[in-house]
PDB file of all heavy atoms in Angstrom:
ATOM      1  N   ILE O 110     174.035 -94.254 194.697  1.00  0.00           N
ATOM      2  CA  ILE O 110     172.938 -94.255 193.714  1.00  0.00           C
ATOM      3  C   ILE O 110     171.771 -93.502 194.340  1.00  0.00           C
ATOM      4  O   ILE O 110     171.414 -93.740 195.499  1.00  0.00           O
ATOM      5  CB  ILE O 110     172.488 -95.679 193.330  1.00  0.00           C
ATOM      6  CG1 ILE O 110     173.613 -96.415 192.598  1.00  0.00           C
ATOM      7  CG2 ILE O 110     171.251 -95.610 192.424  1.00  0.00           C
ATOM      8  CD1 ILE O 110     173.213 -97.804 192.087  1.00  0.00           C
ATOM      9  N   LEU O 111     171.182 -92.588 193.576  1.00  0.00           N
ATOM     10  CA  LEU O 111     170.003 -91.848 194.048  1.00  0.00           C
ATOM     11  C   LEU O 111     168.855 -92.103 193.096  1.00  0.00           C
ATOM     12  O   LEU O 111     169.038 -92.161 191.876  1.00  0.00           O
ATOM     13  CB  LEU O 111     170.287 -90.352 194.101  1.00  0.00           C
ATOM     14  CG  LEU O 111     171.386 -89.955 195.090  1.00  0.00           C
ATOM     15  CD1 LEU O 111     172.690 -89.717 194.350  1.00  0.00           C
ATOM     16  CD2 LEU O 111     170.984 -88.730 195.885  1.00  0.00           C
ATOM     17  N   SER O 112     167.678 -92.255 193.663  1.00  0.00           N
ATOM     18  CA  SER O 112     166.525 -92.494 192.813  1.00  0.00           C
ATOM     19  C   SER O 112     165.343 -91.706 193.324  1.00  0.00           C
ATOM     20  O   SER O 112     165.016 -91.722 194.506  1.00  0.00           O
ATOM     21  CB  SER O 112     166.174 -93.981 192.834  1.00  0.00           C
ATOM     22  OG  SER O 112     165.023 -94.170 192.046  1.00  0.00           O
ATOM     23  N   GLY O 113     164.691 -91.019 192.407  1.00  0.00           N
ATOM     24  CA  GLY O 113     163.483 -90.287 192.774  1.00  0.00           C
ATOM     25  C   GLY O 113     162.998 -89.612 191.523  1.00  0.00           C
ATOM     26  O   GLY O 113     163.791 -89.235 190.677  1.00  0.00           O
ATOM     27  N   GLY O 114     161.698 -89.485 191.377  1.00  0.00           N
ATOM     28  CA  GLY O 114     161.253 -88.797 190.174  1.00  0.00           C
ATOM     29  C   GLY O 114     159.778 -88.884 189.945  1.00  0.00           C
ATOM     30  O   GLY O 114     159.004 -89.235 190.829  1.00  0.00           O
ATOM     31  N   GLY O 115     159.393 -88.551 188.712  1.00  0.00           N
ATOM     32  CA  GLY O 115     157.973 -88.463 188.381  1.00  0.00           C
ATOM     33  C   GLY O 115     157.529 -87.023 188.432  1.00  0.00           C
ATOM     34  O   GLY O 115     156.878 -86.519 187.530  1.00  0.00           O
ATOM     35  N   THR O 116     157.920 -86.310 189.510  1.00  0.00           N
ATOM     36  CA  THR O 116     157.604 -84.884 189.624  1.00  0.00           C
ATOM     37  C   THR O 116     158.840 -84.176 190.174  1.00  0.00           C
ATOM     38  O   THR O 116     159.714 -84.807 190.765  1.00  0.00           O
ATOM     39  CB  THR O 116     156.461 -84.627 190.630  1.00  0.00           C
ATOM     40  OG1 THR O 116     156.921 -85.023 191.929  1.00  0.00           O
ATOM     41  CG2 THR O 116     155.210 -85.402 190.283  1.00  0.00           C
ATOM     42  N   HIS O 119     160.060 -84.895 193.739  1.00  0.00           N
ATOM     43  CA  HIS O 119     160.923 -86.029 194.080  1.00  0.00           C
ATOM     44  C   HIS O 119     162.333 -85.858 193.511  1.00  0.00           C
ATOM     45  O   HIS O 119     163.297 -86.359 194.065  1.00  0.00           O
ATOM     46  CB  HIS O 119     160.349 -87.341 193.533  1.00  0.00           C
ATOM     47  CG  HIS O 119     159.070 -87.770 194.193  1.00  0.00           C
ATOM     48  ND1 HIS O 119     158.897 -87.796 195.556  1.00  0.00           N
ATOM     49  CD2 HIS O 119     157.887 -88.189 193.660  1.00  0.00           C
ATOM     50  CE1 HIS O 119     157.669 -88.214 195.841  1.00  0.00           C
ATOM     51  NE2 HIS O 119     157.041 -88.457 194.709  1.00  0.00           N
ATOM     52  N   ILE O 120     162.433 -85.161 192.373  1.00  0.00           N
ATOM     53  CA  ILE O 120     163.736 -85.024 191.707  1.00  0.00           C
ATOM     54  C   ILE O 120     164.607 -84.010 192.434  1.00  0.00           C
ATOM     55  O   ILE O 120     165.783 -84.242 192.689  1.00  0.00           O
ATOM     56  CB  ILE O 120     163.556 -84.551 190.241  1.00  0.00           C
ATOM     57  CG1 ILE O 120     162.713 -85.564 189.460  1.00  0.00           C
ATOM     58  CG2 ILE O 120     164.913 -84.367 189.561  1.00  0.00           C
ATOM     59  CD1 ILE O 120     162.173 -85.019 188.153  1.00  0.00           C
ATOM     60  N   ALA O 123     166.517 -85.141 195.508  1.00  0.00           N
ATOM     61  CA  ALA O 123     167.591 -86.090 195.173  1.00  0.00           C
ATOM     62  C   ALA O 123     168.824 -85.339 194.669  1.00  0.00           C
ATOM     63  O   ALA O 123     169.959 -85.647 195.042  1.00  0.00           O
ATOM     64  CB  ALA O 123     167.095 -87.095 194.127  1.00  0.00           C
ATOM     65  N   LEU O 140     175.266 -92.003 190.538  1.00  0.00           N
ATOM     66  CA  LEU O 140     174.403 -92.490 189.458  1.00  0.00           C
ATOM     67  C   LEU O 140     172.960 -92.289 189.903  1.00  0.00           C
ATOM     68  O   LEU O 140     172.606 -92.608 191.040  1.00  0.00           O
ATOM     69  CB  LEU O 140     174.661 -93.983 189.201  1.00  0.00           C
ATOM     70  CG  LEU O 140     173.740 -94.649 188.170  1.00  0.00           C
ATOM     71  CD1 LEU O 140     173.925 -94.042 186.787  1.00  0.00           C
ATOM     72  CD2 LEU O 140     173.994 -96.163 188.108  1.00  0.00           C
ATOM     73  N   PHE O 141     172.140 -91.713 189.026  1.00  0.00           N
ATOM     74  CA  PHE O 141     170.708 -91.576 189.303  1.00  0.00           C
ATOM     75  C   PHE O 141     169.953 -92.666 188.552  1.00  0.00           C
ATOM     76  O   PHE O 141     170.379 -93.093 187.480  1.00  0.00           O
ATOM     77  CB  PHE O 141     170.200 -90.213 188.821  1.00  0.00           C
ATOM     78  CG  PHE O 141     170.466 -89.090 189.787  1.00  0.00           C
ATOM     79  CD1 PHE O 141     171.759 -88.635 190.006  1.00  0.00           C
ATOM     80  CD2 PHE O 141     169.423 -88.497 190.484  1.00  0.00           C
ATOM     81  CE1 PHE O 141     172.013 -87.603 190.898  1.00  0.00           C
ATOM     82  CE2 PHE O 141     169.659 -87.463 191.382  1.00  0.00           C
ATOM     83  CZ  PHE O 141     170.952 -87.011 191.588  1.00  0.00           C
ATOM     84  N   VAL O 142     168.850 -93.102 189.129  1.00  0.00           N
ATOM     85  CA  VAL O 142     167.983 -94.057 188.445  1.00  0.00           C
ATOM     86  C   VAL O 142     166.573 -93.474 188.449  1.00  0.00           C
ATOM     87  O   VAL O 142     166.063 -93.063 189.498  1.00  0.00           O
ATOM     88  CB  VAL O 142     168.007 -95.437 189.144  1.00  0.00           C
ATOM     89  CG1 VAL O 142     166.998 -96.375 188.498  1.00  0.00           C
ATOM     90  CG2 VAL O 142     169.408 -96.044 189.065  1.00  0.00           C
ATOM     91  N   GLY O 143     165.967 -93.404 187.261  1.00  0.00           N
ATOM     92  CA  GLY O 143     164.636 -92.807 187.141  1.00  0.00           C
ATOM     93  C   GLY O 143     163.695 -93.682 186.350  1.00  0.00           C
ATOM     94  O   GLY O 143     164.031 -94.812 185.990  1.00  0.00           O
ATOM     95  N   ALA O 144     162.501 -93.153 186.072  1.00  0.00           N
ATOM     96  CA  ALA O 144     161.534 -93.871 185.230  1.00  0.00           C
ATOM     97  C   ALA O 144     161.714 -93.366 183.799  1.00  0.00           C
ATOM     98  O   ALA O 144     161.803 -92.160 183.567  1.00  0.00           O
ATOM     99  CB  ALA O 144     160.117 -93.616 185.720  1.00  0.00           C
ATOM    100  N   LYS O 145     161.738 -94.319 182.855  1.00  0.00           N
ATOM    101  CA  LYS O 145     162.145 -94.020 181.478  1.00  0.00           C
ATOM    102  C   LYS O 145     161.505 -92.795 180.836  1.00  0.00           C
ATOM    103  O   LYS O 145     162.159 -92.033 180.171  1.00  0.00           O
ATOM    104  CB  LYS O 145     161.881 -95.238 180.590  1.00  0.00           C
ATOM    105  CG  LYS O 145     163.132 -96.045 180.401  1.00  0.00           C
ATOM    106  CD  LYS O 145     163.038 -97.002 179.223  1.00  0.00           C
ATOM    107  CE  LYS O 145     164.383 -97.675 179.039  1.00  0.00           C
ATOM    108  NZ  LYS O 145     164.333 -99.108 179.113  1.00  0.00           N
ATOM    109  N   ASP O 146     160.199 -92.614 181.001  1.00  0.00           N
ATOM    110  CA  ASP O 146     159.553 -91.544 180.234  1.00  0.00           C
ATOM    111  C   ASP O 146     159.211 -90.331 181.101  1.00  0.00           C
ATOM    112  O   ASP O 146     158.375 -89.526 180.740  1.00  0.00           O
ATOM    113  CB  ASP O 146     158.275 -92.092 179.582  1.00  0.00           C
ATOM    114  CG  ASP O 146     157.421 -92.828 180.610  1.00  0.00           C
ATOM    115  OD1 ASP O 146     157.894 -93.008 181.760  1.00  0.00           O
ATOM    116  OD2 ASP O 146     156.282 -93.219 180.274  1.00  0.00           O
ATOM    117  N   LYS O 147     159.855 -90.222 182.274  1.00  0.00           N
ATOM    118  CA  LYS O 147     159.496 -89.115 183.169  1.00  0.00           C
ATOM    119  C   LYS O 147     160.520 -87.988 183.114  1.00  0.00           C
ATOM    120  O   LYS O 147     161.597 -88.136 182.556  1.00  0.00           O
ATOM    121  CB  LYS O 147     159.363 -89.621 184.618  1.00  0.00           C
ATOM    122  CG  LYS O 147     158.233 -90.624 184.812  1.00  0.00           C
ATOM    123  CD  LYS O 147     156.889 -89.929 184.746  1.00  0.00           C
ATOM    124  CE  LYS O 147     155.770 -90.879 185.133  1.00  0.00           C
ATOM    125  NZ  LYS O 147     154.459 -90.345 184.886  1.00  0.00           N
ATOM    126  N   MET O 148     160.176 -86.856 183.755  1.00  0.00           N
ATOM    127  CA  MET O 148     160.978 -85.648 183.590  1.00  0.00           C
ATOM    128  C   MET O 148     162.398 -85.753 184.134  1.00  0.00           C
ATOM    129  O   MET O 148     163.287 -85.018 183.708  1.00  0.00           O
ATOM    130  CB  MET O 148     160.249 -84.428 184.173  1.00  0.00           C
ATOM    131  CG  MET O 148     159.970 -84.484 185.654  1.00  0.00           C
ATOM    132  SD  MET O 148     158.748 -83.219 186.174  1.00  0.00           S
ATOM    133  CE  MET O 148     159.782 -81.810 186.509  1.00  0.00           C
ATOM    134  N   GLU O 149     162.644 -86.697 185.056  1.00  0.00           N
ATOM    135  CA  GLU O 149     164.015 -86.812 185.580  1.00  0.00           C
ATOM    136  C   GLU O 149     165.030 -87.146 184.487  1.00  0.00           C
ATOM    137  O   GLU O 149     166.211 -86.820 184.604  1.00  0.00           O
ATOM    138  CB  GLU O 149     164.101 -87.846 186.706  1.00  0.00           C
ATOM    139  CG  GLU O 149     163.616 -89.241 186.367  1.00  0.00           C
ATOM    140  CD  GLU O 149     162.146 -89.473 186.759  1.00  0.00           C
ATOM    141  OE1 GLU O 149     161.374 -88.496 186.803  1.00  0.00           O
ATOM    142  OE2 GLU O 149     161.804 -90.624 187.025  1.00  0.00           O
ATOM    143  N   MET O 150     164.569 -87.816 183.412  1.00  0.00           N
ATOM    144  CA  MET O 150     165.500 -88.205 182.342  1.00  0.00           C
ATOM    145  C   MET O 150     166.101 -86.973 181.654  1.00  0.00           C
ATOM    146  O   MET O 150     167.171 -87.041 181.070  1.00  0.00           O
ATOM    147  CB  MET O 150     164.813 -89.115 181.309  1.00  0.00           C
ATOM    148  CG  MET O 150     164.252 -90.413 181.872  1.00  0.00           C
ATOM    149  SD  MET O 150     165.370 -91.397 182.913  1.00  0.00           S
ATOM    150  CE  MET O 150     166.542 -92.016 181.715  1.00  0.00           C
ATOM    151  N   GLN O 151     165.400 -85.811 181.720  1.00  0.00           N
ATOM    152  CA  GLN O 151     165.968 -84.553 181.196  1.00  0.00           C
ATOM    153  C   GLN O 151     166.634 -83.744 182.307  1.00  0.00           C
ATOM    154  O   GLN O 151     167.721 -83.227 182.148  1.00  0.00           O
ATOM    155  CB  GLN O 151     164.860 -83.660 180.597  1.00  0.00           C
ATOM    156  CG  GLN O 151     164.411 -84.039 179.197  1.00  0.00           C
ATOM    157  CD  GLN O 151     163.421 -85.187 179.226  1.00  0.00           C
ATOM    158  OE1 GLN O 151     162.453 -85.149 179.980  1.00  0.00           O
ATOM    159  NE2 GLN O 151     163.658 -86.213 178.431  1.00  0.00           N
ATOM    160  N   VAL O 153     167.946 -84.415 185.309  1.00  0.00           N
ATOM    161  CA  VAL O 153     169.168 -84.839 186.001  1.00  0.00           C
ATOM    162  C   VAL O 153     170.424 -84.594 185.136  1.00  0.00           C
ATOM    163  O   VAL O 153     171.390 -83.995 185.615  1.00  0.00           O
ATOM    164  CB  VAL O 153     169.032 -86.309 186.474  1.00  0.00           C
ATOM    165  CG1 VAL O 153     170.371 -86.855 186.954  1.00  0.00           C
ATOM    166  CG2 VAL O 153     167.986 -86.398 187.601  1.00  0.00           C
ATOM    167  N   PRO O 154     170.419 -84.995 183.844  1.00  0.00           N
ATOM    168  CA  PRO O 154     171.598 -84.693 183.017  1.00  0.00           C
ATOM    169  C   PRO O 154     171.850 -83.185 182.889  1.00  0.00           C
ATOM    170  O   PRO O 154     172.993 -82.757 182.777  1.00  0.00           O
ATOM    171  CB  PRO O 154     171.239 -85.304 181.654  1.00  0.00           C
ATOM    172  CG  PRO O 154     170.244 -86.368 181.963  1.00  0.00           C
ATOM    173  CD  PRO O 154     169.458 -85.864 183.142  1.00  0.00           C
ATOM    174  N   ARG O 159     174.747 -88.497 185.768  1.00  0.00           N
ATOM    175  CA  ARG O 159     174.372 -89.590 184.858  1.00  0.00           C
ATOM    176  C   ARG O 159     173.091 -90.238 185.373  1.00  0.00           C
ATOM    177  O   ARG O 159     172.920 -90.395 186.591  1.00  0.00           O
ATOM    178  CB  ARG O 159     175.518 -90.613 184.864  1.00  0.00           C
ATOM    179  CG  ARG O 159     175.452 -91.679 183.799  1.00  0.00           C
ATOM    180  CD  ARG O 159     176.865 -92.223 183.546  1.00  0.00           C
ATOM    181  NE  ARG O 159     177.386 -93.029 184.654  1.00  0.00           N
ATOM    182  CZ  ARG O 159     177.146 -94.344 184.794  1.00  0.00           C
ATOM    183  NH1 ARG O 159     176.378 -94.978 183.923  1.00  0.00           N
ATOM    184  NH2 ARG O 159     177.664 -95.011 185.801  1.00  0.00           N
ATOM    185  N   ILE O 160     172.202 -90.646 184.468  1.00  0.00           N
ATOM    186  CA  ILE O 160     170.952 -91.299 184.901  1.00  0.00           C
ATOM    187  C   ILE O 160     170.655 -92.509 184.031  1.00  0.00           C
ATOM    188  O   ILE O 160     170.930 -92.503 182.827  1.00  0.00           O
ATOM    189  CB  ILE O 160     169.757 -90.304 184.892  1.00  0.00           C
ATOM    190  CG1 ILE O 160     168.501 -90.957 185.509  1.00  0.00           C
ATOM    191  CG2 ILE O 160     169.456 -89.777 183.495  1.00  0.00           C
ATOM    192  CD1 ILE O 160     167.396 -89.977 185.879  1.00  0.00           C
ATOM    193  N   GLU O 161     170.140 -93.556 184.659  1.00  0.00           N
ATOM    194  CA  GLU O 161     169.661 -94.748 183.930  1.00  0.00           C
ATOM    195  C   GLU O 161     168.151 -94.815 184.126  1.00  0.00           C
ATOM    196  O   GLU O 161     167.645 -94.521 185.214  1.00  0.00           O
ATOM    197  CB  GLU O 161     170.273 -96.020 184.547  1.00  0.00           C
ATOM    198  CG  GLU O 161     171.771 -96.098 184.405  1.00  0.00           C
ATOM    199  CD  GLU O 161     172.209 -97.192 183.435  1.00  0.00           C
ATOM    200  OE1 GLU O 161     171.335 -97.885 182.872  1.00  0.00           O
ATOM    201  OE2 GLU O 161     173.427 -97.326 183.258  1.00  0.00           O
ATOM    202  N   GLY O 162     167.429 -95.244 183.095  1.00  0.00           N
ATOM    203  CA  GLY O 162     165.970 -95.292 183.191  1.00  0.00           C
ATOM    204  C   GLY O 162     165.439 -96.709 183.364  1.00  0.00           C
ATOM    205  O   GLY O 162     165.942 -97.644 182.746  1.00  0.00           O
ATOM    206  N   LEU O 163     164.422 -96.864 184.214  1.00  0.00           N
ATOM    207  CA  LEU O 163     163.734 -98.150 184.371  1.00  0.00           C
ATOM    208  C   LEU O 163     162.396 -98.085 183.632  1.00  0.00           C
ATOM    209  O   LEU O 163     161.785 -97.020 183.528  1.00  0.00           O
ATOM    210  CB  LEU O 163     163.450 -98.443 185.849  1.00  0.00           C
ATOM    211  CG  LEU O 163     164.633 -98.534 186.811  1.00  0.00           C
ATOM    212  CD1 LEU O 163     164.109 -98.807 188.219  1.00  0.00           C
ATOM    213  CD2 LEU O 163     165.610 -99.625 186.395  1.00  0.00           C
ATOM    214  N   TRP O 164     161.942 -99.237 183.201  1.00  0.00           N
ATOM    215  CA  TRP O 164     160.647 -99.317 182.510  1.00  0.00           C
ATOM    216  C   TRP O 164     159.587 -99.544 183.577  1.00  0.00           C
ATOM    217  O   TRP O 164     159.237-100.667 183.898  1.00  0.00           O
ATOM    218  CB  TRP O 164     160.701-100.489 181.515  1.00  0.00           C
ATOM    219  CG  TRP O 164     159.496-100.625 180.648  1.00  0.00           C
ATOM    220  CD1 TRP O 164     158.889 -99.655 179.928  1.00  0.00           C
ATOM    221  CD2 TRP O 164     158.763-101.836 180.396  1.00  0.00           C
ATOM    222  NE1 TRP O 164     157.821-100.177 179.244  1.00  0.00           N
ATOM    223  CE2 TRP O 164     157.716-101.506 179.510  1.00  0.00           C
ATOM    224  CE3 TRP O 164     158.889-103.157 180.829  1.00  0.00           C
ATOM    225  CZ2 TRP O 164     156.798-102.440 179.047  1.00  0.00           C
ATOM    226  CZ3 TRP O 164     157.979-104.093 180.369  1.00  0.00           C
ATOM    227  CH2 TRP O 164     156.935-103.743 179.493  1.00  0.00           C
ATOM    228  N   ILE O 165     159.106 -98.455 184.188  1.00  0.00           N
ATOM    229  CA  ILE O 165     158.194 -98.622 185.321  1.00  0.00           C
ATOM    230  C   ILE O 165     157.137 -97.517 185.272  1.00  0.00           C
ATOM    231  O   ILE O 165     157.387 -96.436 184.782  1.00  0.00           O
ATOM    232  CB  ILE O 165     158.966 -98.562 186.675  1.00  0.00           C
ATOM    233  CG1 ILE O 165     158.076 -98.836 187.896  1.00  0.00           C
ATOM    234  CG2 ILE O 165     159.661 -97.221 186.861  1.00  0.00           C
ATOM    235  CD1 ILE O 165     157.770-100.275 188.139  1.00  0.00           C
ATOM    236  N   ALA O 166     155.951 -97.842 185.778  1.00  0.00           N
ATOM    237  CA  ALA O 166     154.912 -96.818 185.924  1.00  0.00           C
ATOM    238  C   ALA O 166     154.075 -97.220 187.119  1.00  0.00           C
ATOM    239  O   ALA O 166     154.142 -98.358 187.571  1.00  0.00           O
ATOM    240  CB  ALA O 166     154.053 -96.751 184.671  1.00  0.00           C
ATOM    241  N   SER O 186     161.946-104.129 185.992  1.00  0.00           N
ATOM    242  CA  SER O 186     162.661-103.070 186.711  1.00  0.00           C
ATOM    243  C   SER O 186     163.490-103.636 187.855  1.00  0.00           C
ATOM    244  O   SER O 186     164.589-103.138 188.133  1.00  0.00           O
ATOM    245  CB  SER O 186     161.680-102.036 187.263  1.00  0.00           C
ATOM    246  OG  SER O 186     160.987-101.423 186.202  1.00  0.00           O
ATOM    247  N   LYS O 189     166.554-105.169 186.198  1.00  0.00           N
ATOM    248  CA  LYS O 189     167.494-104.141 185.744  1.00  0.00           C
ATOM    249  C   LYS O 189     168.152-103.450 186.944  1.00  0.00           C
ATOM    250  O   LYS O 189     169.339-103.116 186.913  1.00  0.00           O
ATOM    251  CB  LYS O 189     166.793-103.119 184.856  1.00  0.00           C
ATOM    252  CG  LYS O 189     167.787-102.091 184.346  1.00  0.00           C
ATOM    253  CD  LYS O 189     167.421-101.381 183.068  1.00  0.00           C
ATOM    254  CE  LYS O 189     168.619-100.530 182.629  1.00  0.00           C
ATOM    255  NZ  LYS O 189     168.219 -99.413 181.787  1.00  0.00           N
ATOM    256  N   SER O 190     167.378-103.234 188.019  1.00  0.00           N
ATOM    257  CA  SER O 190     167.938-102.591 189.223  1.00  0.00           C
ATOM    258  C   SER O 190     169.066-103.427 189.806  1.00  0.00           C
ATOM    259  O   SER O 190     170.119-102.908 190.189  1.00  0.00           O
ATOM    260  CB  SER O 190     166.853-102.396 190.285  1.00  0.00           C
ATOM    261  OG  SER O 190     165.867-101.501 189.824  1.00  0.00           O
ATOM    262  N   ILE O 193     172.096-102.987 187.637  1.00  0.00           N
ATOM    263  CA  ILE O 193     172.733-101.671 187.846  1.00  0.00           C
ATOM    264  C   ILE O 193     173.555-101.700 189.140  1.00  0.00           C
ATOM    265  O   ILE O 193     174.700-101.240 189.183  1.00  0.00           O
ATOM    266  CB  ILE O 193     171.657-100.556 187.922  1.00  0.00           C
ATOM    267  CG1 ILE O 193     171.010-100.337 186.540  1.00  0.00           C
ATOM    268  CG2 ILE O 193     172.245 -99.241 188.443  1.00  0.00           C
ATOM    269  CD1 ILE O 193     169.784 -99.425 186.536  1.00  0.00           C
ATOM    270  N   ILE O 203     169.961 -94.209 197.908  1.00  0.00           N
ATOM    271  CA  ILE O 203     169.080 -93.207 198.512  1.00  0.00           C
ATOM    272  C   ILE O 203     167.834 -93.053 197.646  1.00  0.00           C
ATOM    273  O   ILE O 203     167.945 -92.843 196.429  1.00  0.00           O
ATOM    274  CB  ILE O 203     169.825 -91.852 198.594  1.00  0.00           C
ATOM    275  CG1 ILE O 203     171.073 -92.003 199.474  1.00  0.00           C
ATOM    276  CG2 ILE O 203     168.913 -90.748 199.134  1.00  0.00           C
ATOM    277  CD1 ILE O 203     172.325 -91.417 198.873  1.00  0.00           C
ATOM    278  N   THR O 205     164.163 -90.978 197.058  1.00  0.00           N
ATOM    279  CA  THR O 205     163.381 -89.803 197.465  1.00  0.00           C
ATOM    280  C   THR O 205     161.924 -89.901 197.015  1.00  0.00           C
ATOM    281  O   THR O 205     161.222 -88.908 196.962  1.00  0.00           O
ATOM    282  CB  THR O 205     164.007 -88.503 196.915  1.00  0.00           C
ATOM    283  OG1 THR O 205     164.080 -88.594 195.483  1.00  0.00           O
ATOM    284  CG2 THR O 205     165.402 -88.271 197.452  1.00  0.00           C
ATOM    285  N   GLY O 206     161.480 -91.132 196.669  1.00  0.00           N
ATOM    286  CA  GLY O 206     160.076 -91.295 196.287  1.00  0.00           C
ATOM    287  C   GLY O 206     159.887 -91.290 194.782  1.00  0.00           C
ATOM    288  O   GLY O 206     160.782 -90.925 194.025  1.00  0.00           O
ATOM    289  N   GLY O 207     158.701 -91.681 194.352  1.00  0.00           N
ATOM    290  CA  GLY O 207     158.455 -91.822 192.919  1.00  0.00           C
ATOM    291  C   GLY O 207     158.596 -93.289 192.533  1.00  0.00           C
ATOM    292  O   GLY O 207     159.199 -94.077 193.254  1.00  0.00           O
ATOM    293  N   PHE O 208     158.034 -93.648 191.387  1.00  0.00           N
ATOM    294  CA  PHE O 208     157.933 -95.063 191.003  1.00  0.00           C
ATOM    295  C   PHE O 208     159.257 -95.789 190.930  1.00  0.00           C
ATOM    296  O   PHE O 208     159.401 -96.908 191.393  1.00  0.00           O
ATOM    297  CB  PHE O 208     157.243 -95.205 189.641  1.00  0.00           C
ATOM    298  CG  PHE O 208     155.907 -94.551 189.589  1.00  0.00           C
ATOM    299  CD1 PHE O 208     155.546 -93.733 188.530  1.00  0.00           C
ATOM    300  CD2 PHE O 208     155.001 -94.741 190.625  1.00  0.00           C
ATOM    301  CE1 PHE O 208     154.312 -93.119 188.498  1.00  0.00           C
ATOM    302  CE2 PHE O 208     153.764 -94.137 190.600  1.00  0.00           C
ATOM    303  CZ  PHE O 208     153.422 -93.325 189.540  1.00  0.00           C
ATOM    304  N   ALA O 209     160.268 -95.142 190.341  1.00  0.00           N
ATOM    305  CA  ALA O 209     161.519 -95.853 190.073  1.00  0.00           C
ATOM    306  C   ALA O 209     162.240 -96.241 191.353  1.00  0.00           C
ATOM    307  O   ALA O 209     162.995 -97.208 191.382  1.00  0.00           O
ATOM    308  CB  ALA O 209     162.428 -94.994 189.194  1.00  0.00           C
ATOM    309  N   SER O 210     162.018 -95.485 192.438  1.00  0.00           N
ATOM    310  CA  SER O 210     162.768 -95.784 193.654  1.00  0.00           C
ATOM    311  C   SER O 210     162.305 -97.106 194.284  1.00  0.00           C
ATOM    312  O   SER O 210     163.044 -97.717 195.041  1.00  0.00           O
ATOM    313  CB  SER O 210     162.668 -94.634 194.663  1.00  0.00           C
ATOM    314  OG  SER O 210     161.338 -94.455 195.074  1.00  0.00           O
ATOM    315  N   GLY O 211     161.098 -97.565 193.938  1.00  0.00           N
ATOM    316  CA  GLY O 211     160.582 -98.817 194.501  1.00  0.00           C
ATOM    317  C   GLY O 211     161.445-100.024 194.172  1.00  0.00           C
ATOM    318  O   GLY O 211     162.074-100.622 195.054  1.00  0.00           O
ATOM    319  N   PRO O 212     161.520-100.394 192.883  1.00  0.00           N
ATOM    320  CA  PRO O 212     162.320-101.565 192.523  1.00  0.00           C
ATOM    321  C   PRO O 212     163.796-101.393 192.876  1.00  0.00           C
ATOM    322  O   PRO O 212     164.463-102.338 193.299  1.00  0.00           O
ATOM    323  CB  PRO O 212     162.157-101.667 190.999  1.00  0.00           C
ATOM    324  CG  PRO O 212     161.219-100.622 190.582  1.00  0.00           C
ATOM    325  CD  PRO O 212     160.755 -99.842 191.759  1.00  0.00           C
ATOM    326  N   LEU O 213     164.314-100.163 192.753  1.00  0.00           N
ATOM    327  CA  LEU O 213     165.741 -99.951 193.008  1.00  0.00           C
ATOM    328  C   LEU O 213     166.082-100.210 194.479  1.00  0.00           C
ATOM    329  O   LEU O 213     167.028-100.924 194.791  1.00  0.00           O
ATOM    330  CB  LEU O 213     166.158 -98.527 192.622  1.00  0.00           C
ATOM    331  CG  LEU O 213     167.664 -98.358 192.790  1.00  0.00           C
ATOM    332  CD1 LEU O 213     168.409 -98.901 191.579  1.00  0.00           C
ATOM    333  CD2 LEU O 213     168.046 -96.927 193.046  1.00  0.00           C
TER     334      LEU O 213
END
Side-chain angles (χ1 to χ4, degrees):
I110 295 184
L111 297 100
S112 178
T116 64
H119 292 312
I120 300 164
L140 175 64
F141 278 70
V142 175
K145 262 197 175 122
D146 50 353
K147 296 287 188 189
M148 62 194 272
E149 56 265 27
M150 301 310 289
Q151 280 81 49
V153 169
R159 191 156 70 86
I160 187 165
E161 295 249 0
L163 300 179
W164 185 49
I165 184 79
S186 298
K189 182 156 187 204
S190 296
I193 290 171
I203 299 133
T205 58
F208 305 133
S210 63
L213 184 82

